[in-house]
């Protein structure tokens, strides 16, 4: 199979992002990228999405903060990260950003802080795109998640867009909303180049023996194969609500899963929890794409993208 048959272009209203294939990594599941270099060639991926980055370092939530569930896992990491300064001086220089796009997932607690962080990331040559986590709480507005309200979601999007004029801007949506399509339309109108979905579902797990929560934070984010049906539904709804490209996330463990997301309209995908099951998951899926295309008679990604039959 020719290399260009797997290539995809995420074409937004302001910028485009070209990937050699549709497989990227999901923030929070691939560290800063370099940790997974022993398991595969980082440059074979469509893009590397690094863990959520904030202006200042964050220690995260107390342990235990991961709990396995049937067909998935719960996490309440609390966006632990080394902060912007360490990322730009130590983490980014260690990545092969000249050979594979590096996407920085960003986290903040106010619209103003999102703008400040976006302006700093805009200065970094090695950052190809910014992915904005709007599932985090707006501290100034009582802790409600930015992504739960279309007005706040749009305000964050505009702040990032205005302060990072040179970067491809992706807004990552939460499934924990009444209408994900409505949120998607609001961020598109505010200047997003692309949408990624979904972030984790809210869940919890308890220990009957100890009668305690299995997470110190009580609730956490549910991910893994168990969320794939919800993710497919959300991607399909968002694709049909906006004209900007969509990156599908949620329970993708095989090359077949990748094509299911493309079938409902996704342009690219992110591999998340699968990397905890096998560290080489993303690399393995890339290798399997040509064989699966041949198995199902798919000549190009465009042949199947958004071609779900509703009859």
């Amino acid at each position: 199979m020719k290399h260009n048959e797997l290539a995809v272009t995420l074409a937004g209203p302001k910028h485009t992002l070209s990937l050699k294939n549709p497989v990227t990594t999901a923030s929070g599941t691939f560290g800063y990228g370099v940790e997974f270099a022993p398991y595969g060639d980082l440059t074979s991926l469509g893009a590397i999405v690094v863990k959520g980055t904030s202006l200042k370092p964050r220690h995260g939530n107390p342990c235990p903060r991961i709990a396995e569930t049937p067909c998935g896992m719960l996490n309440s990491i609390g966006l632990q990260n080394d902060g912007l300064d360490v990322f730009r001086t130590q983490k980014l220089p260690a990545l092969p950003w000249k050979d594979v796009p590096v996407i920085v997932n960003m986290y903040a607690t106010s619209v103003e802080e999102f703008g400040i962080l976006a302006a700093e990331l805009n200065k970094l040559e090695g950052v190809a795109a910014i992915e904005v986590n709007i599932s985090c709480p707006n501290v100034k507005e009582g802790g409600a998640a930015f992504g739960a309200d279309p007005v706040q979601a749009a305000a964050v999007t505009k702040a990032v867009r205005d302060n990072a004029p040179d970067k491809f801007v992706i807004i990552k949506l939460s499934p924990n909303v009444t209408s994900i399509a409505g949120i998607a339309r609001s961020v598109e109108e505010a200047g997003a180049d692309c949408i990624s979905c979904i972030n984790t579902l809210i869940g919890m797990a308890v220990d009957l023996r100890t009668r305690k929560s299995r997470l110190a934070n009580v609730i956490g984010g549910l991910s893994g194969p168990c969320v794939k049906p919800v993710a497919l539904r959300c991607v399909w709804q968002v694709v049909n609500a906006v004209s900007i490209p969509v990156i599908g996330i949620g329970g993708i463990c095989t090359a077949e899963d990748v094509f299911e997301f493309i079938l409902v309209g996704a342009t690219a995908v992110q591999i998340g929890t699968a990397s905890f099951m096998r560290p080489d998951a993303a690399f393995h899926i890339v290798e399997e794409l040509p064989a699966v295309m041949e198995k199902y008679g798919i000549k190009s990604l465009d042949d199947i993208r958004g071609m779900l039959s509703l009859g």
Side-chain angles (χ1 to χ4, degrees):
M1 174 168 290
K2 296 178 181 178
H3 173 83
N4 59 8
E5 291 176 348
L6 287 175
V8 298
T9 299
L10 299 164
K14 296 290 185 181
H15 299 285
T16 61
L17 184 64
S18 297
L19 314 179
K20 64 186 68 174
N21 63 66
V23 178
T24 73
T25 58
S27 174
T29 65
F30 208 68
Y32 286 104
V34 292
E35 298 93 327
F36 283 78
Y39 304 103
D41 179 5
L42 292 175
T43 66
S44 70
L45 301 172
I48 298 168
V49 184
V50 303
K51 70 187 306 177
T53 297
S54 52
L55 275 172
K56 302 296 182 182
R58 285 179 57 88
H59 297 296
N61 292 329
C63 294
R65 51 189 189 180
I66 292 180
E68 189 173 354
T69 66
C71 297
M73 63 176 282
L74 285 164
N75 89 83
S76 182
I77 305 300
L79 291 159
Q80 177 184 350
N81 75 96
D82 294 330
L84 174 64
D85 286 342
V86 170
F87 172 74
R88 64 183 163 195
T89 58
Q90 299 179 30
K91 306 299 184 180
L92 183 59
L95 287 169
W97 55 265
K98 291 184 178 180
D99 300 308
V100 60
V102 171
I103 301 172
V104 178
N105 182 284
M106 62 180 292
Y107 161 87
T109 57
S110 70
V111 173
E112 295 77 15
E113 189 180 347
F114 270 110
I116 295 169
L117 182 53
E120 293 300 315
L121 292 173
N122 191 62
K123 301 174 185 176
L124 303 181
E125 180 186 3
V127 174
I130 297 171
E131 182 181 61
V132 187
N133 178 8
I134 59 171
S135 298
C136 42
N138 183 349
V139 174
K140 291 186 177 180
E141 297 295 333
F146 291 101
D149 176 69
V151 175
Q152 291 193 52
V156 170
T157 302
K158 186 177 186 305
V160 173
R161 173 78 284 160
D162 289 348
N163 286 279
D166 303 324
K167 302 300 182 185
F168 187 87
V169 174
I170 306 164
I171 306 297
K172 188 172 185 178
L173 301 189
S174 168
N176 306 303
V177 295
T178 303
S179 172
I180 194 168
I183 303 294
R185 283 190 289 266
S186 72
V187 301
E188 178 184 33
E189 292 170 2
D193 288 306
C194 180
I195 287 169
S196 61
C197 61
I198 58 176
N199 209 328
T200 55
L201 280 75
I202 297 173
M204 65 182 293
V206 298
D207 187 326
L208 186 59
R209 181 181 57 83
T210 63
R211 302 185 185 183
K212 294 181 178 180
S213 168
R214 291 175 60 196
L215 294 173
N217 200 50
V218 184
I219 63 172
L222 178 66
S223 63
C226 58
V227 309
K228 181 183 158 191
V230 176
L232 281 169
R233 182 265 298 176
C234 288
V235 169
W236 180 74
Q237 288 181 322
V238 170
V239 166
N240 284 280
V242 300
S243 58
I244 56 178
V246 176
I247 300 171
I249 319 165
I252 300 173
C253 299
T254 67
E256 283 85 353
D257 292 335
V258 173
F259 288 110
E260 288 186 21
F261 275 84
I262 293 175
L263 181 62
V264 300
T267 300
V269 300
Q270 291 182 7
I271 311 301
T273 302
S275 293
F276 295 129
M277 295 187 281
R278 54 177 295 175
D280 68 340
F283 309 109
H284 177 70
I285 289 171
V286 170
E287 292 174 356
E288 292 293 309
L289 291 178
V292 173
M293 290 180 74
E294 184 175 351
K295 177 181 178 180
Y296 290 95
I298 303 169
K299 291 183 171 56
S300 74
L301 300 183
D302 289 336
D303 286 346
I304 193 173
R305 184 176 296 108
M307 295 299 177
L308 181 71
S309 174
L310 302 179

